[in-house]
């Protein structure tokens, strides 16, 4: 066994995150099989609250987005301070130029993008290193040039072959109307300079 840090002995609280880890540790402990390295379990404990507050808390937790690779420390695969600044400034500039094409959800559908998902993908593709980009202005220029190249692709190239089109007419119509094509897949991030593949 063991007590919880931070609360008075005998105080009542609710475990909001970590309840499954805590339950597993309790079962192992009751069987005498809890290893010492597993005796401390990280959980979030809240004072008792009303039903409305509980619903609000769970809504807030469920809306939370996971930390993306770009935002992790550099020694864990994240971007360095300079790279993060360049990528963030460029992604924000793109969002300011095409506000209707950016959505708050990281799982938004084409032809939209999410600014944090874009930042993460730019980092994962090592775009600054591969293209020798050293400023946010250079990155924005490259993104806009790539967008223009993608805009030149005929609709048939976006639909793809087969009975089910890759992108519907409505998706392509919105991309053409807004002049924004970077949200139609991310293959352009990994291309060798050609966007007509």
């Amino acid at each position: 066994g063991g007590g919880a840090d931070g609360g008075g002995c005998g105080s009542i609280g609710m475990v909001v995150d970590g309840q499954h880890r805590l339950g597993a540790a309790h079962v192992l402990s009751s069987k005498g099989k809890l290893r010492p390295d597993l005796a401390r379990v990280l959980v979030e404990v809240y004072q008792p609250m009303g039903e409305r507050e509980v619903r609000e808390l769970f809504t807030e937790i469920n809306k939370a987005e996971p930390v993306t690779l770009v935002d992790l420390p550099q020694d864990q695969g994240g971007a360095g301070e300079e790279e993060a600044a360049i990528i963030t400034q460029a992604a924000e500039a793109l969002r300011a130029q095409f506000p209707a094409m950016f959505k708050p959800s990281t799982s938004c559908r084409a032809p939209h993008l999410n600014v944090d998902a874009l930042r993460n993908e730019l980092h994962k593709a090592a775009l600054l290193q591969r293209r020798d980009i050293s400023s946010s202005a250079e990155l924005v220029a490259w993104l806009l040039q790539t967008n223009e190249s993608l805009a030149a692709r005929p609709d048939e190239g976006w639909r793809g072959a087969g009975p089910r089109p890759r992108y519907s007419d409505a998706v392509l119509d919105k991309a053409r109307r807004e002049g924004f094509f970077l949200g139609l897949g991310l293959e352009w991030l990994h291309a060798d300079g050609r966007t007509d593949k």
Side-chain angles (χ1 to χ4, degrees):
D5 291 335
C9 195
S11 63
I12 297 173
M14 297 181 346
V15 177
V16 174
D17 185 25
Q19 65 268 31
H20 297 107
R21 292 182 299 249
L22 186 61
H26 178 73
V27 168
L28 290 171
S29 178
S30 68
K31 293 181 179 181
K33 296 183 178 183
L34 183 64
R35 298 187 333 226
D37 61 323
L38 299 177
R40 295 180 69 83
V41 178
L42 180 63
V43 297
E44 285 188 51
V45 179
Y46 291 83
Q47 293 296 322
M49 55 184 82
E51 206 172 302
R52 188 178 123 262
E53 290 88 1
V54 170
R55 279 195 307 271
E56 289 173 0
L57 180 61
F58 274 97
T59 298
E60 182 180 330
I61 290 170
N62 288 330
K63 284 183 179 178
E65 298 284 348
V67 175
T68 55
L69 180 64
V70 68
D71 293 322
L72 289 175
Q74 192 171 5
D75 64 351
Q76 294 179 23
E81 194 174 316
E82 184 178 354
E83 179 189 5
I86 290 170
I87 287 173
T88 299
Q89 290 167 9
E92 291 293 349
L94 205 62
R95 176 167 60 175
Q97 187 168 345
F98 300 97
M101 301 307 284
F102 281 83
K103 297 292 182 185
S105 171
T106 55
S107 57
C108 60
R109 295 188 294 179
H112 304 99
L113 280 176
N114 168 273
V115 73
D116 290 322
L118 175 61
R119 290 173 54 250
N120 198 49
E121 293 299 329
L122 290 168
H123 171 65
K124 286 177 11 184
L127 194 68
L128 302 187
Q129 296 80 4
R130 288 183 22 238
R131 300 282 176 193
D132 196 28
I133 294 173
S134 60
S135 73
S136 59
E138 288 178 26
L139 180 53
V140 169
W142 185 87
L143 289 166
L144 292 174
Q145 179 183 13
T146 300
N147 188 59
E148 285 181 31
S149 296
L150 294 170
R153 184 184 295 177
D155 286 354
E156 295 74 37
W158 288 112
R159 286 191 185 96
R164 294 188 64 198
R166 182 169 178 204
Y167 296 110
S168 70
D169 288 340
V171 167
L172 294 174
D173 288 347
K174 182 161 189 182
R176 295 233 178 266
R177 184 173 62 252
E178 298 293 334
F180 187 78
F181 294 83
L182 298 176
L184 296 176
L186 296 172
E187 297 84 6
W188 53 267
L189 269 174
H190 307 283
D192 59 4
R194 295 178 48 185
T195 55
D196 58 349
K197 291 183 176 181

